[in-house]
């Protein structure tokens, strides 16, 4: 069986309001038809009862039409529908107020004969077919309720609900007067008797006004899933219906002579006691179940909170405007803030302003509208129903930073209304470090830390293009160690690696900081000399001389000193030359020439 929640009850009652309005208006039209064709059954509802006066019938037509226009899809939300609803309510108020003025000041404004002429008027009978004073009061109250049906106080109270409640209460008393045969409850003064179907329609239209806007404080008190709503829905209908019903049954039995008055009173008392006690007992069981369910929900929430607090995540919840409402223990630990330091502030406190500004710019271009560099940067896509994960930098209380992968999710209540946002961040420091390491491995030599061949070609592409554009000289020195194979064969590859590392260090120290040193493979190295002055070959040879000088000091191998030399080939970029591989080949040819010249020397490629 489906269990209805407050989210289901509200829309269902709202859909009931226009139906009630249509029924009330139709009933008013039926009475007017009865007056037009002198059909007594339509005028009085039941044979022998008081007739509904024409102005009262007209009042119900206006009240029903206003309620329908105020709550149906065809009328609600359109300016024309609202204007028509207000017009009907104003006419209804005029009928009620003018009738009360006739009673209060003993006037005869003849509004009672606007629709139908009463022969009694020609006989001098006062107030022919005038509606009851209580009916005039109820119509005035209903008109006021319909005019302020959309007025809502800051506390969520709607005046229309309370005005409708007053109408329902006094009309219910009139109905009880008919049930018990107590005319004082429906005939306040002479010639001011409320008809039975008039009272019934008043109750119906009052209920319709309350149903039209179920989102009020009054509505929530009746429809809520809390204990108050449960008690109201279970006990109020019984309190309204059961005691009067038992009283009526007791009275009928007494009048029929089945038992004396004392016995009838005992039946009335015992009946109420049994029914209400059973209902209270049943309600208490339901409320206990609700209480147990809430305890279970609280426990589940506590478990979920414990899981979130123990997880290596930053979980921050905000309201729709960006004010932080809660933050888990993991976020407090990572960011260095206590919860009370962040609650009520904005998440911008935790972000790099430049990063936020850059994202605002890119988001504005992507969405085609201006996105300010504020909280909207984080939730713009979530507001549009798009799930988004992005890398951000969190700024801790002490000023340190760490990268996070942040996902932002909209939070909605049971009716689907947006209530805030949830940001869950995962610390990706290790991932970033791994990415950096992989990038380094892809672009740098793992043994010496120098640029590898891939990185060298990137640098050569950039520097050769710049040299061509600016007219600077670009030189390349190709080096390898002399007799390095003998070192490996004699002492082992681990010693060879130490020699290569030492050579790389000496090579880096012998050139400028702006120059690039790279290891191609084995004992082959390259030095890129950028931004040299014309002609450039002399400067390149000067650098080669410094490199050769750095090699004069012996290398210490297994506790003993050994002389190690290097041969070098120098090539200068030619005009309009942009191919790095061609420049490397020419430097390699120059290196070959140096080795044939005796090793430990350098050779410059002839132009």
């Amino acid at each position: 069986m489906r269990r209805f929640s407050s989210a289901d009850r509200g829309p269902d009652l709202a859909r009931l309001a226009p139906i009630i309005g249509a029924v009330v208006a139709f009933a008013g039209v039926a009475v007017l038809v009865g007056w037009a064709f002198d059909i007594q059954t339509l005028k009085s509802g039941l044979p022998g009862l008081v007739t509904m006066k024409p102005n009262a019938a007209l009042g119900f037509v206006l009240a029903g039409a206003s309620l329908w226009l105020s709550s149906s899809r065809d009328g609600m939300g359109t300016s024309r529908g609202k204007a028509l609803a207000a017009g009907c309510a104003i006419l209804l108020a005029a009928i009620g107020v003018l009738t009360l003025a006739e009673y209060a000041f003993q006037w005869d404004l003849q509004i009672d004969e606007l629709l139908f002429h009463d022969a009694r008027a020609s006989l001098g009978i006062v107030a022919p077919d005038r509606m009851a004073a209580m009916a005039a009061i109820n119509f005035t109250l209903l008109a006021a309720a319909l005019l302020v049906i959309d007025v809502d106080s800051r506390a969520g109270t709607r005046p229309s609900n309370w005005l409708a409640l007053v109408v329902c209460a006094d009309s219910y008393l009139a109905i009880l007067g008919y049930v018990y045969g107590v005319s004082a409850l429906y005939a306040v003064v002479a010639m001011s008797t409320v008809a039975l179907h008039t009272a019934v329609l008043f109750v119906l239209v009052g209920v319709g006004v309350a149903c039209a806007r179920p989102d009020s404080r009054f509505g929530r008190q009746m429809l809520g899933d809390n204990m108050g709503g449960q008690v109201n829905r279970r006990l109020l209908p019984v309190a309204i219906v059961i005691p009067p019903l038992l009283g009526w049954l007791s009275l009928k039995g007494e009048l029929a002579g089945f038992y004396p008055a004392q016995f009838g009173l005992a039946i009335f008392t015992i009946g109420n006691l049994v029914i209400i006690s059973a209902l209270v007992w049943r309600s208490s069981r339901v409320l206990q179940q609700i209480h147990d369910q809430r305890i279970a929900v609280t426990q589940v929430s506590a478990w979920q909170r414990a899981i979130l607090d123990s997880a290596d995540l930053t979980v921050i919840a905000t309201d729709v405007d960006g004010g932080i409402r809660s933050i888990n223990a993991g976020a407090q630990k990572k960011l260095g803030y206590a919860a009370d330091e962040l609650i009520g502030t904005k998440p911008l406190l935790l972000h790099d302003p430049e990063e936020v500004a850059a994202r605002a710019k890119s988001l504005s271009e992507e969405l085609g509208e201006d996105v300010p560099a504020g909280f909207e940067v984080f939730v713009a896509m979530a507001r549009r129903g798009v799930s988004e994960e992005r890398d951000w930098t969190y700024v801790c209380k002490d000023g340190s930073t760490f990268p996070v992968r942040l996902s932002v999710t909209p939070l909605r209540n049971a009716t689907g209304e947006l209530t805030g946002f949830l940001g869950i961040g995962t610390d990706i420091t290790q991932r970033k470090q791994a990415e950096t390491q992989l990038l380094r491995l892809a672009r740098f030599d793992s043994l010496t830390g120098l640029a590898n061949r891939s990185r060298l070609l990137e640098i050569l592409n950039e520097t050769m293009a710049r040299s061509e554009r600016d007219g600077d000289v670009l030189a390349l020195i190709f080096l390898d160690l002399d007799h390095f194979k003998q070192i490996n064969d004699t002492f082992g590859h681990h010693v060879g690696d130490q020699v290569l590392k030492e050579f790389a260090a000496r090579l880096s120290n012998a050139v400028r900081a702006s120059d690039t040193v790279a290891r191609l493979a084995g004992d082959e190295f390259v030095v890129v000399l950028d931004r040299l002055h014309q002609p450039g070959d002399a400067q390149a040879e000067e650098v080669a001389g410094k490199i050769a000088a750095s090699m004069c000091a012996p290398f210490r191998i297994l506790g003993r000193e050994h002389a190690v030399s290097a041969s070098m080939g120098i090539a200068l970029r030619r005009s309009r030359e942009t191919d790095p591989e061609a420049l490397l080949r020419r430097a390699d040819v120059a290196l070959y020439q140096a080795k044939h010249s005796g090793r430990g020397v350098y050779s410059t490629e002839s132009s």
Side-chain angles (χ1 to χ4, degrees):
M1 181 181 295
R2 181 186 176 191
R3 296 180 63 87
F4 288 90
S5 66
S6 57
D8 300 316
R9 300 185 196 100
D12 287 344
L13 285 180
R15 285 190 288 269
L16 184 62
I19 298 175
I20 293 175
V23 169
V24 170
F26 178 79
V29 171
V31 173
L32 291 176
V33 170
W35 276 93
F37 297 98
D38 196 21
I39 304 174
Q40 187 62 32
T41 302
L42 293 178
K43 292 192 288 184
S44 61
L46 293 174
L49 295 182
V50 178
T51 61
M52 183 188 298
K53 303 303 183 285
N55 279 1
L58 177 60
F60 283 120
V61 173
L62 293 172
S66 180
L67 178 59
W68 185 87
L69 289 167
S70 300
S71 52
S72 70
R73 292 182 179 179
D74 296 331
M76 185 173 59
T78 64
S79 57
R80 183 179 181 183
K82 290 181 178 180
L84 289 174
C88 291
I90 291 172
L91 289 176
L92 179 63
I95 293 173
V97 171
L98 290 175
T99 302
L100 289 176
E102 288 184 320
Y103 277 110
F105 302 107
Q106 299 298 314
W107 293 343
D108 184 10
L109 302 177
Q110 296 187 350
I111 64 170
D112 312 298
E113 294 195 59
L114 291 177
L115 297 175
F116 301 101
H117 176 72
D118 190 346
R120 293 182 301 170
S122 62
L123 300 175
I125 299 176
V126 180
D129 294 327
R130 179 179 297 171
M131 75 172 73
M134 184 55 66
I137 292 173
N138 282 348
F139 278 131
T140 304
L141 294 175
L142 276 178
L146 290 166
L147 285 171
V148 299
I149 195 168
D150 286 315
V151 175
D152 194 358
S153 68
R154 290 184 178 180
T157 302
R158 289 187 182 270
S160 59
N161 289 154
W162 298 104
L163 291 170
L165 183 61
V166 173
V167 172
C168 289
D170 64 54
S171 301
Y172 184 64
L173 288 177
I175 294 172
L176 290 181
Y178 279 100
V179 171
Y180 289 114
V182 182
S183 60
L185 294 178
Y186 59 84
V188 181
V189 295
M191 300 192 70
S192 185
T193 303
V194 178
L196 175 59
H197 52 333
T198 299
V200 172
L201 288 177
F202 273 131
V203 171
L204 193 60
V205 74
V207 171
V209 170
C211 291
R213 302 294 186 269
D215 57 339
S216 66
R217 185 177 180 182
F218 177 84
R220 291 195 297 271
Q221 221 169 336
M222 293 296 299
L223 305 177
D225 292 323
N226 53 24
M227 293 186 180
Q230 294 282 347
V231 170
N232 287 331
R233 289 195 298 278
R234 290 174 181 277
L235 297 186
L236 282 179
V238 174
I240 293 172
V241 175
I242 296 300
L245 179 60
L246 290 177
W248 179 78
L249 292 174
S250 175
L251 179 62
K252 289 298 181 182
E254 181 184 337
L255 293 177
F258 295 147
Y259 42 74
Q262 296 86 345
F263 188 78
L265 179 61
I267 291 176
F268 174 76
T269 304
I270 293 172
N272 278 294
L273 179 64
V274 171
I275 293 175
I276 293 177
S277 296
L279 186 62
V280 169
W281 176 260
R282 172 61 180 167
S283 297
S284 67
R285 290 187 61 189
V286 172
L287 293 178
Q288 184 61 45
Q289 291 175 357
I290 294 174
H291 179 68
D292 293 342
Q293 290 172 356
R294 289 187 173 177
I295 291 177
V297 169
T298 301
Q299 291 176 341
V300 171
S301 298
W303 293 337
Q304 292 174 339
R305 183 73 188 184
I307 292 171
L308 287 178
D309 285 343
S310 62
D312 189 26
L313 300 171
T314 60
V315 182
I316 299 175
T318 73
D319 57 28
V320 291
D321 297 321
I324 295 177
R325 295 190 302 191
S326 67
I327 176 172
N328 74 328
Q332 296 175 51
K333 180 180 178 181
K334 286 181 171 295
L335 295 168
Y337 286 96
D340 56 1
E341 292 180 286
L342 289 177
I343 291 176
T345 64
K346 298 293 181 71
L348 290 173
L349 176 67
L350 309 174
H351 288 268
D352 179 3
E354 293 184 0
E355 197 173 58
V356 173
R359 176 56 180 160
K361 182 178 179 181
S362 65
L363 199 58
S364 299
E365 295 173 354
E366 180 181 345
L367 299 178
E369 60 184 70
D370 182 50
V371 178
F375 177 68
E376 195 63 23
V377 165
F378 305 102
V379 300
M381 301 306 292
R383 287 188 193 276
R384 292 163 173 78
V386 179
S387 299
E388 183 182 39
E389 285 189 350
R390 292 192 64 83
D391 290 350
W392 292 93
T393 301
Y394 266 158
V395 181
C396 302
K397 185 177 180 180
D398 60 5
S400 61
T401 62
F402 65 93
V404 291
R405 184 71 172 176
L406 184 65
S407 66
V408 179
T409 306
L411 299 175
R412 301 185 183 277
N413 58 19
T415 61
E417 179 186 4
L418 182 67
T419 59
F421 299 92
L422 184 68
I424 300 178
T426 305
D427 187 344
I428 56 174
T429 301
Q430 292 184 350
R431 194 193 78 183
K432 288 289 186 181
Q433 290 174 346
E435 289 175 354
T436 302
Q437 182 63 21
L438 288 174
L439 180 61
R440 182 171 183 81
L441 290 174
R443 305 178 73 186
F444 294 91
D445 177 52
S446 59
L447 177 64
T448 63
L450 300 177
N452 61 12
R453 183 182 184 89
S454 175
R455 177 59 179 155
L456 173 65
L457 292 175
E458 291 179 9
I459 293 172
L460 281 175
N461 277 313
E462 296 172 5
T463 55
M464 292 179 76
R466 184 170 60 243
S467 174
E468 178 68 22
R469 182 184 65 245
D470 298 341
D472 295 332
V473 177
L474 173 66
L476 201 67
I477 304 178
F478 206 129
L479 313 89
D480 74 356
L481 293 177
D482 297 327
H483 307 296
F484 180 70
K485 185 175 183 302
Q486 294 179 5
I487 296 175
N488 270 339
D489 293 343
T490 304
F491 302 105
H493 288 281
H494 65 288
V495 173
D497 288 345
Q498 292 298 319
V499 172
L500 290 175
K501 291 172 66 176
E502 175 66 20
F503 176 68
R506 295 188 185 188
L507 190 57
S508 298
N509 290 331
V511 300
R512 299 171 303 178
S514 60
D515 298 328
T516 300
V517 181
R519 181 191 177 201
L520 292 187
D523 64 334
E524 294 181 340
F525 293 80
V526 172
V527 177
V528 181
L529 304 176
D530 189 20
R531 298 183 185 275
L532 300 179
H533 303 298
Q534 294 288 354
D537 52 351
Q539 298 174 66
E541 291 175 358
E542 181 181 352
V543 174
K546 290 181 180 180
I547 295 174
S550 70
M551 299 296 292
C552 292
F555 284 65
R556 195 164 187 82
I557 301 175
L558 298 179
R560 299 180 63 178
E561 294 182 346
H562 294 268
V564 178
S565 62
S567 299
M568 292 169 275
I570 303 172
L572 274 64
R573 187 192 73 85
R574 296 171 179 172
S575 177
R576 298 184 181 180
E577 182 179 35
T578 57
D579 182 8
E581 295 289 353
L583 183 58
L584 280 169
R585 284 194 297 269
R586 291 194 291 108
D588 191 20
V589 170
L591 172 62
Y592 181 77
Q593 294 172 354
K595 284 185 173 294
H596 276 271
S597 299
R599 300 183 184 274
V601 297
Y602 61 83
S603 173
T604 302
E605 177 205 32
S606 57
S607 56

